């Protein structure tokens, strides 16, 4: 039961300021597609092939961040025999193969109706995902959502991925809006941190498959 917040007020210097919410920005993995377990399975298999003993706690730190950031960190930290670029490409290739092998995969229940309701409310709708451009296009096409967003941004578009606010700041700029006019829907601690650092309101979506994320920074869960 996620409701769109169209307006909120706050007290600033004893003067009431009303800020209109003009856009809702969606994360993709864990919010539109229940993909965190897929990502986890692909990555765990790669860890085994590389002889990496990555703890669950360390792996979970990268939920919501670009795949490239994880492999760049691991390549430097563990002196891997394959380059970070090779592992990023392999990780993405295997994820795409898995998604495309399951034609019956469906969006998270309720999300398509929610997107329609936001459009009917006259708000802009955007997607800001840490996934690659190719992964985003594939998922949106599978779910017939490829024309549902005013702006679609990938983590590939920014130098710093979530939890840095760069992708959300860029999304607001593309929408010609101020960050305070945007609400983000996120399922991960890193995504929520990025949204709040960008100066946006954030709805934390509890997804049990997103590896027990801390949603406490969200304005509402």
């Amino acid at each position: 039961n996620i409701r769109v917040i169209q307006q909120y007020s706050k007290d600033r210097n004893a003067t009431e300021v009303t800020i209109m919410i003009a856009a809702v920005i969606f994360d993709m993995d864990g919010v539109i597609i229940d993909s965190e377990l897929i990502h986890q399975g692909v990555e765990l298999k790669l860890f085994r092939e590389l002889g990496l003993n990555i703890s669950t706690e360390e792996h979970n730190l990268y939920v919501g961040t670009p795949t490239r950031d994880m492999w760049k960190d691991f390549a430097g930290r563990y002196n891997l025999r394959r380059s970070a670029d090779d592992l990023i490409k392999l990780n993405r290739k295997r994820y795409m193969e898995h998604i495309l092998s399951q034609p019956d995969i469906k969006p998270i229940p309720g999300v398509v109706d929610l997107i329609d309701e936001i459009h009917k409310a006259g708000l802009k709708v955007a997607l800001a995902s840490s996934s690659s451009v190719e992964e985003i296009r594939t998922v949106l096409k599978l779910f017939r959502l490829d024309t549902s967003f005013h702006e679609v941004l990938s983590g590939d578009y920014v130098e710093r991925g979530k939890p840095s606010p760069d992708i959300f700041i860029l999304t607001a700029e593309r929408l010609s809006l101020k960050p305070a006019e945007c609400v983000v829907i996120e399922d991960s601690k890193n995504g929520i941190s990025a949204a709040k650092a960008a100066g946006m309101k954030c709805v934390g979506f509890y997804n049990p498959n997103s590896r027990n994320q801390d949603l406490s920074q969200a304005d509402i869960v």
Side-chain angles (χ1 to χ4, degrees):
N1 294 324
I2 301 174
R3 293 183 300 169
V4 179
I5 304 169
Q6 290 182 279
Q7 179 177 316
Y8 70 91
S9 299
K10 65 179 180 180
D11 190 6
R12 181 186 296 162
N13 296 327
T15 302
E16 186 178 84
V17 178
T18 300
I19 301 174
M20 298 300 295
I21 297 303
V24 179
I25 303 172
F26 285 79
D27 177 37
M28 185 178 78
D29 292 294
V31 173
I32 289 176
I33 177 173
D34 204 0
S35 56
E36 293 298 352
L37 290 181
I38 301 172
H39 281 293
Q40 184 180 32
V42 167
E43 290 158 10
L44 287 174
K45 186 175 181 181
L46 274 173
F47 295 162
R48 289 194 295 270
E49 291 174 12
L50 294 165
L52 282 174
N53 185 21
I54 304 295
S55 69
T56 300
E57 291 75 19
E58 184 176 9
H59 195 192
N60 287 352
L61 292 175
Y62 293 92
V63 175
T65 67
T67 301
R68 68 163 194 263
D69 292 353
M70 181 185 74
W71 286 115
K72 284 179 179 178
D73 285 353
F74 287 175
R77 192 179 307 158
Y78 299 108
N79 297 314
L80 301 181
R81 62 180 181 270
R82 299 188 63 166
S83 71
D85 286 342
D86 283 348
L87 291 167
I88 292 164
K89 290 175 184 176
L90 181 57
N91 196 146
R92 289 177 172 179
K93 178 176 179 289
R94 291 188 178 179
Y95 172 78
M96 292 287 292
E97 288 173 348
H98 185 97
I99 292 293
L100 292 172
S101 71
Q102 300 193 35
D104 295 332
I105 193 168
K106 291 185 172 28
I108 285 178
V111 74
V112 174
D113 290 339
L114 176 59
I115 291 168
D116 287 343
E117 289 176 14
I118 295 168
H119 277 289
K120 289 175 184 176
L123 306 180
K124 291 183 178 180
V125 189
L127 185 141
S129 169
S130 293
S131 290
S132 69
V133 174
E134 184 181 13
E135 289 167 343
I136 293 170
R137 287 176 178 166
T138 299
V139 169
L140 294 186
K141 186 175 180 180
L142 280 174
F143 293 166
R144 299 181 181 177
L145 291 172
D146 38 334
T147 61
S148 296
F149 299 92
H150 294 94
E151 293 289 341
V152 175
L153 280 84
S154 160
D156 292 344
Y157 293 178
V158 293
E159 184 175 347
R160 300 183 304 165
K162 302 172 187 175
S164 294
D166 302 30
I167 192 169
F168 290 126
I169 292 171
L170 180 59
T171 304
E173 290 175 356
R174 293 279 186 89
L175 293 169
S176 298
L177 295 172
K178 298 175 183 177
E181 296 176 299
C182 303
V183 170
V184 174
I185 301 178
E186 272 281 0
D187 70 310
S188 72
K189 178 181 179 180
N190 286 318
I192 293 170
S193 295
K196 298 306 296 179
M200 299 179 177
K201 290 291 182 180
C202 188
V203 175
F205 172 60
Y206 174 71
N207 184 330
N209 291 328
S210 294
R211 305 186 227 172
N212 196 29
Q213 291 295 297
D214 177 4
L215 308 180
S216 60
Q217 288 186 78
D219 296 280
I220 189 172
V221 177

